[in-house]
Amino acid sequence: MQEEIFCPECGDFTEHVTVKLGREHLVKCEVCGTVHPLKLERTKLASLRVIISATDASQRRVIEIPAEDRFKVGDEILVDDDVGDVAMVEITSIELDSGRRAERAKAGDVKTLWTRAVDEVVVKISVHWRGKTTSYSIPARGDETFHVGEARTADGRRFRVEKIKLRDGRSPNRALAKDIIRVWGVAL
């Protein structure tokens, strides 16, 4: 088996042939003929519990990731435990092995990642008409964009988006569904 490996004699990556397998593989450089050991790097894995909050229920998953990986609140990660559905989530809280909460941490120090699903979300909408306000919840893809002034439909009722409020308290003119806490509109 030939592969490109760094040769200490040549000082460059060259084709090598495996001479002996073991804890330290012995490889031979095809350019200069030098035989040298090749240390295999092993990545230490950490088992993390991930709680995924979705619209109506929470799911508990366990994932294996490199212990040196770093997380911070607000990061989006893909959760695939080879058992349930694959989910894109946003980290909302990090619980350390000590039980304390942190804003950022290495995977090896984390006990639980508290997350919320962001691939499929429910957007809460309040539509008013002649002094009466009606609330709706509509499913949306997390990357779907809502714009102030656009016409939409909720439960068969058309409305125009008047205001969008985000999880961080801002009210922009457009936003992704995964970041929205509520949309206000007027019936058409």
Side-chain angles (χ1 to χ4, degrees), residues 14-78:
T14 60
E15 291 287 325
H16 281 66
V17 169
T18 302
V19 176
K20 180 183 169 198
L21 296 174
R23 267 190 200 176
E24 284 190 350
H25 290 346
L26 284 181
V27 292
K28 179 180 175 184
C29 177
E30 290 288 294
V31 175
C32 70
T34 304
V35 175
H36 60 92
L38 175 67
K39 293 183 180 176
L40 300 176
E41 291 186 31
R42 289 189 172 172
T43 303
K44 183 179 179 184
L45 295 178
S47 288
L48 299 181
R49 180 173 54 187
V50 180
I51 307 297
I52 303 172
S53 296
T55 307
D56 52 352
S58 294
Q59 298 176 2
R60 180 180 171 178
R61 305 274 188 88
V62 176
I63 59 171
E64 299 277 329
I65 57 167
E68 294 302 311
D69 281 6
R70 296 182 176 275
F71 296 110
K72 69 177 186 296
V73 171
D75 283 352
E76 287 187 10
I77 62 171
L78 192 65

Side-chain angles (χ1 to χ4, degrees), residues 128-132:
H128 68 89
W129 179 250
R130 295 185 181 175
K132 183 179 178 194

Side-chain angles (χ1 to χ4, degrees), residues 119-159:
D119 45 1
E120 294 290 328
V121 297
V122 171
V123 178
K124 296 179 182 176
I125 299 172
S126 295
V127 178
H128 68 89
W129 179 250
R130 295 185 181 175
K132 183 179 178 194
T133 302
T134 307
S135 293
Y136 301 98
S137 295
I138 60 168
R141 291 183 337 275
D143 61 354
E144 185 175 339
T145 304
F146 283 71
H147 300 272
V148 170
E150 77 176 328
R152 288 198 163 249
T153 304
D155 283 350
R157 181 156 196 168
R158 289 187 39 82
F159 67 95

